[in-house]
Amino acid sequence: MTVPTALSRGPVSMFAERVFGRTSAVPLSRQAADDERAEAAKAEAWDLVRAAQDGDSSAFGRLYDRYVDVVYRYVLFRLGDRDLAEDVTSETFLRALRRITSVSYQGRDVGAWFVTIARNLVLDHVKSSRFKLEVVTDEVTEPGSAPFSVGATVQVGPEQEAISRATRAELLRCVAELGEDQRECIVLRFLQGLSVAETAEIMNRNEGAIKALQHRAVRRLAQLLPTGLR
Protein backbone atom coordinates (compact mmCIF):
# COMPACT_ATOMS: atom_id res chain seq x y z
CA MET A 1 0.00 0.00 0.00
CA THR A 2 1.30 3.44 -0.91
CA VAL A 3 1.48 5.81 2.03
CA PRO A 4 -0.07 9.20 1.15
CA THR A 5 2.47 12.00 0.97
CA ALA A 6 0.74 14.03 3.69
CA LEU A 7 1.06 11.12 6.11
CA SER A 8 4.62 10.21 5.24
CA ARG A 9 5.98 13.68 6.02
CA GLY A 10 6.75 14.66 9.59
CA PRO A 11 4.45 17.02 11.54
CA VAL A 12 6.98 19.84 11.56
CA SER A 13 7.36 19.55 7.78
CA MET A 14 3.59 20.00 7.55
CA PHE A 15 3.83 23.05 9.79
CA ALA A 16 6.64 24.47 7.67
CA GLU A 17 4.62 24.10 4.49
CA ARG A 18 1.74 25.96 6.09
CA VAL A 19 4.08 28.69 7.40
CA PHE A 20 6.44 29.21 4.48
CA GLY A 21 4.28 28.40 1.46
CA ARG A 22 2.24 25.86 -0.43
CA THR A 23 3.85 22.53 -1.22
CA SER A 24 4.12 21.60 -4.88
CA ALA A 25 2.13 18.44 -4.04
CA VAL A 26 -1.02 20.59 -3.76
CA PRO A 27 -2.15 21.73 -7.24
CA LEU A 28 -3.11 25.36 -7.57
CA SER A 29 -6.48 24.33 -9.04
CA ARG A 30 -7.32 22.30 -5.94
CA GLN A 31 -6.16 25.13 -3.69
CA ALA A 32 -8.44 27.52 -5.57
CA ALA A 33 -11.36 25.11 -5.25
CA ASP A 34 -10.70 24.75 -1.51
CA ASP A 35 -10.59 28.53 -1.13
CA GLU A 36 -13.86 28.87 -3.04
CA ARG A 37 -15.58 26.31 -0.83
CA ALA A 38 -14.27 28.05 2.28
CA GLU A 39 -15.62 31.39 1.10
CA ALA A 40 -19.00 29.84 0.31
CA ALA A 41 -19.16 28.26 3.77
CA LYS A 42 -18.23 31.57 5.39
CA ALA A 43 -20.96 33.40 3.46
CA GLU A 44 -23.51 30.76 4.43
CA ALA A 45 -22.59 31.09 8.11
CA TRP A 46 -23.07 34.86 8.01
CA ASP A 47 -26.46 34.35 6.33
CA LEU A 48 -27.37 32.26 9.38
CA VAL A 49 -26.15 35.04 11.68
CA ARG A 50 -28.37 37.58 9.93
CA ALA A 51 -31.33 35.18 10.11
CA ALA A 52 -30.72 34.67 13.84
CA GLN A 53 -30.56 38.44 14.32
CA ASP A 54 -33.98 38.63 12.66
CA GLY A 55 -35.39 36.23 15.24
CA ASP A 56 -34.97 32.86 13.50
CA SER A 57 -34.12 30.54 16.41
CA SER A 58 -33.46 27.61 14.10
CA ALA A 59 -30.71 29.62 12.40
CA PHE A 60 -28.82 29.94 15.67
CA GLY A 61 -29.32 26.22 16.21
CA ARG A 62 -27.64 25.57 12.87
CA LEU A 63 -24.76 27.83 13.88
CA TYR A 64 -24.45 25.82 17.08
CA ASP A 65 -24.35 22.56 15.15
CA ARG A 66 -21.73 23.97 12.79
CA TYR A 67 -19.33 25.35 15.40
CA VAL A 68 -19.90 23.45 18.65
CA ASP A 69 -17.17 20.89 17.90
CA VAL A 70 -14.72 23.63 16.94
CA VAL A 71 -15.32 25.47 20.21
CA TYR A 72 -15.30 22.31 22.31
CA ARG A 73 -11.98 21.07 20.90
CA TYR A 74 -10.41 24.47 21.46
CA VAL A 75 -11.58 24.64 25.08
CA LEU A 76 -10.69 21.00 25.75
CA PHE A 77 -7.16 21.51 24.53
CA ARG A 78 -6.75 24.67 26.60
CA LEU A 79 -8.22 23.27 29.84
CA GLY A 80 -7.71 19.50 29.56
CA ASP A 81 -10.93 18.73 31.46
CA ARG A 82 -13.89 17.32 29.53
CA ASP A 83 -16.60 18.29 32.02
CA LEU A 84 -15.22 21.81 32.33
CA ALA A 85 -14.85 22.04 28.55
CA GLU A 86 -18.52 21.11 28.12
CA ASP A 87 -19.54 23.77 30.64
CA VAL A 88 -17.41 26.45 29.00
CA THR A 89 -18.69 25.47 25.55
CA SER A 90 -22.28 25.77 26.73
CA GLU A 91 -21.58 29.15 28.30
CA THR A 92 -19.90 30.26 25.06
CA PHE A 93 -23.04 29.69 23.04
CA LEU A 94 -25.29 31.18 25.70
CA ARG A 95 -23.23 34.37 25.60
CA ALA A 96 -23.18 34.28 21.81
CA LEU A 97 -26.98 34.02 21.74
CA ARG A 98 -27.31 37.01 24.05
CA ARG A 99 -24.90 39.02 21.90
CA ILE A 100 -25.96 37.84 18.46
CA THR A 101 -27.51 41.21 17.56
CA SER A 102 -24.21 43.00 18.21
CA VAL A 103 -21.99 41.02 15.85
CA SER A 104 -21.43 42.26 12.29
CA TYR A 105 -19.54 40.96 9.29
CA GLN A 106 -15.85 41.88 9.35
CA GLY A 107 -14.46 39.64 6.63
CA ARG A 108 -13.65 36.67 8.84
CA ASP A 109 -15.44 33.42 9.50
CA VAL A 110 -18.05 33.72 12.24
CA GLY A 111 -16.35 30.77 13.94
CA ALA A 112 -13.61 33.16 15.02
CA TRP A 113 -16.22 35.13 16.97
CA PHE A 114 -17.34 32.01 18.84
CA VAL A 115 -13.71 31.10 19.58
CA THR A 116 -13.05 34.64 20.86
CA ILE A 117 -15.89 34.27 23.36
CA ALA A 118 -14.58 30.85 24.40
CA ARG A 119 -11.04 32.21 24.74
CA ASN A 120 -12.20 34.97 27.08
CA LEU A 121 -14.03 32.43 29.23
CA VAL A 122 -10.92 30.23 29.34
CA LEU A 123 -8.78 33.21 30.37
CA ASP A 124 -11.27 34.09 33.10
CA HIS A 125 -11.08 30.53 34.40
CA VAL A 126 -7.28 30.48 34.35
CA LYS A 127 -7.13 33.77 36.22
CA SER A 128 -9.60 32.65 38.86
CA SER A 129 -8.14 29.23 39.64
CA ARG A 130 -4.92 27.29 39.84
CA PHE A 131 -4.83 25.09 36.82
CA LYS A 132 -2.53 22.66 35.10
CA LEU A 133 -2.80 21.95 31.39
CA GLU A 134 -3.35 18.29 30.60
CA VAL A 135 -3.25 17.24 26.98
CA VAL A 136 -6.29 15.14 26.08
CA THR A 137 -5.82 13.48 22.71
CA ASP A 138 -8.70 11.05 22.18
CA GLU A 139 -11.33 13.71 21.46
CA VAL A 140 -9.04 16.43 20.21
CA THR A 141 -7.68 14.08 17.54
CA GLU A 142 -10.87 12.23 16.69
CA PRO A 143 -11.05 10.81 13.13
CA GLY A 144 -11.91 13.38 10.51
CA SER A 145 -10.90 16.33 12.67
CA ALA A 146 -7.29 15.57 13.44
CA PRO A 147 -5.19 18.66 14.00
CA PHE A 148 -2.26 19.55 11.77
CA SER A 149 -3.61 17.48 8.86
CA VAL A 150 -2.77 18.52 5.31
CA GLY A 151 -4.91 17.86 2.26
CA ALA A 152 -7.97 15.68 1.90
CA THR A 153 -8.87 12.95 4.34
CA VAL A 154 -7.58 9.58 3.15
CA GLN A 155 -8.33 6.01 4.12
CA VAL A 156 -5.37 4.25 5.72
CA GLY A 157 -4.77 0.85 7.23
CA PRO A 158 -4.83 0.13 10.99
CA GLU A 159 -1.02 0.17 11.28
CA GLN A 160 -0.69 3.57 9.61
CA GLU A 161 -3.61 4.90 11.65
CA ALA A 162 -1.91 3.75 14.87
CA ILE A 163 1.32 5.47 13.82
CA SER A 164 -0.53 8.64 12.88
CA ARG A 165 -2.40 8.68 16.19
CA ALA A 166 0.81 8.21 18.16
CA THR A 167 2.45 10.98 16.15
CA ARG A 168 -0.43 13.38 16.80
CA ALA A 169 -0.39 12.54 20.51
CA GLU A 170 3.34 13.25 20.71
CA LEU A 171 2.92 16.48 18.76
CA LEU A 172 0.13 17.63 21.08
CA ARG A 173 2.35 16.82 24.07
CA CYS A 174 5.05 19.04 22.61
CA VAL A 175 2.55 21.81 21.86
CA ALA A 176 1.60 21.74 25.55
CA GLU A 177 5.25 22.50 26.42
CA LEU A 178 5.26 25.73 24.41
CA GLY A 179 4.91 29.08 26.09
CA GLU A 180 1.37 30.40 26.49
CA ASP A 181 1.42 32.73 23.48
CA GLN A 182 3.09 30.23 21.17
CA ARG A 183 0.68 27.48 22.25
CA GLU A 184 -2.29 29.77 21.72
CA CYS A 185 -1.08 30.68 18.25
CA ILE A 186 -0.52 27.06 17.22
CA VAL A 187 -3.91 25.95 18.56
CA LEU A 188 -5.77 28.70 16.71
CA ARG A 189 -3.84 28.39 13.47
CA PHE A 190 -3.46 24.62 13.13
CA LEU A 191 -5.92 22.95 15.49
CA GLN A 192 -8.72 25.38 14.69
CA GLY A 193 -7.59 26.22 11.16
CA LEU A 194 -8.10 29.96 11.58
CA SER A 195 -6.39 32.42 9.27
CA VAL A 196 -3.55 34.71 10.30
CA ALA A 197 -5.96 37.65 10.31
CA GLU A 198 -8.52 35.81 12.46
CA THR A 199 -5.81 34.65 14.87
CA ALA A 200 -4.45 38.19 15.10
CA GLU A 201 -7.89 39.57 15.97
CA ILE A 202 -8.52 36.94 18.63
CA MET A 203 -5.08 37.44 20.21
CA ASN A 204 -5.24 41.24 19.90
CA ARG A 205 -2.07 41.46 17.81
CA ASN A 206 -1.22 42.53 14.29
CA GLU A 207 -0.72 40.00 11.53
CA GLY A 208 3.04 40.51 11.41
CA ALA A 209 3.32 39.65 15.10
CA ILE A 210 1.26 36.49 14.58
CA LYS A 211 3.44 35.36 11.67
CA ALA A 212 6.57 35.90 13.77
CA LEU A 213 5.03 34.10 16.75
CA GLN A 214 3.98 31.20 14.57
CA HIS A 215 7.46 30.99 13.05
CA ARG A 216 9.09 30.82 16.48
CA ALA A 217 6.55 28.24 17.68
CA VAL A 218 7.22 25.95 14.73
CA ARG A 219 10.96 26.16 15.29
CA ARG A 220 10.48 25.42 18.98
CA LEU A 221 8.35 22.37 18.12
CA ALA A 222 11.14 21.15 15.87
CA GLN A 223 13.44 21.22 18.89
CA LEU A 224 10.94 19.50 21.18
CA LEU A 225 9.86 16.68 18.86
CA PRO A 226 11.82 13.40 18.90
CA THR A 227 14.17 13.14 15.92
CA GLY A 228 12.12 10.41 14.25
CA LEU A 229 9.01 12.61 14.06
CA ARG A 230 10.65 15.69 12.53
Side-chain angles (χ1 to χ4, degrees):
M1 176 176 59
T2 301
V3 178
T5 304
L7 291 176
S8 61
R9 293 192 303 273
V12 173
S13 298
M14 297 182 193
F15 273 131
E17 288 172 0
R18 295 285 292 274
V19 174
F20 301 116
R22 184 186 298 110
T23 171
S24 58
V26 180
L28 289 174
S29 59
R30 194 176 83 188
Q31 183 66 41
D34 289 345
D35 291 344
E36 185 175 343
R37 283 192 292 271
E39 285 300 314
K42 182 168 69 175
E44 181 183 358
W46 280 105
D47 286 342
L48 290 173
V49 169
R50 285 185 281 272
Q53 291 173 335
D54 290 337
D56 185 347
S57 58
S58 66
F60 189 85
R62 291 167 65 188
L63 285 169
Y64 175 89
D65 291 339
R66 180 180 292 230
Y67 292 107
V68 64
D69 288 342
V70 171
V71 171
Y72 176 75
R73 287 197 300 271
Y74 170 77
V75 176
L76 178 62
F77 189 89
R78 292 297 308 277
L79 299 180
D81 183 302
R82 293 182 185 83
D83 292 337
L84 182 57
E86 290 177 358
D87 290 343
V88 172
T89 299
S90 296
E91 179 61 24
T92 295
F93 284 95
L94 284 173
R95 291 196 181 187
L97 180 59
R98 291 196 293 267
R99 301 174 184 176
I100 193 67
T101 57
S102 67
V103 65
S104 59
Y105 179 75
Q106 297 176 341
R108 58 176 181 158
D109 188 88
V110 69
W113 180 61
F114 289 116
V115 173
T116 299
I117 296 173
R119 179 178 186 262
N120 290 335
L121 288 170
V122 168
L123 292 177
D124 288 344
H125 173 78
V126 172
K127 290 176 183 177
S128 63
S129 64
R130 297 183 62 184
F131 130 115
K132 177 179 179 297
L133 175 69
E134 297 178 2
V135 176
V136 182
T137 61
D138 57 345
E139 292 180 56
V140 172
T141 62
E142 62 186 4
S145 62
F148 323 115
S149 59
V150 175
T153 302
V154 294
Q155 297 297 320
V156 298
E159 292 182 0
Q160 184 61 46
E161 175 61 26
I163 293 172
S164 297
R165 208 169 251 284
T167 299
R168 292 194 297 267
E170 182 64 19
L171 180 54
L172 287 169
R173 184 192 65 78
C174 292
V175 169
E177 294 185 21
L178 296 174
E180 176 65 23
D181 286 345
Q182 290 185 358
R183 183 170 65 244
E184 176 91 18
C185 180
I186 291 298
V187 169
L188 291 172
R189 288 286 289 119
F190 297 106
L191 182 61
Q192 301 306 108
L194 299 182
S195 68
V196 171
E198 290 165 343
T199 301
E201 185 165 350
I202 289 172
M203 295 187 69
N204 297 315
R205 301 191 181 197
N206 61 47
E207 293 184 26
I210 292 299
K211 290 178 181 178
L213 184 62
Q214 179 177 295
H215 181 93
R216 292 194 299 271
V218 170
R219 289 188 177 277
R220 179 57 181 155
L221 280 175
Q223 297 171 350
L224 292 171
L225 280 170
T227 304
L229 296 182
R230 297 177 186 176

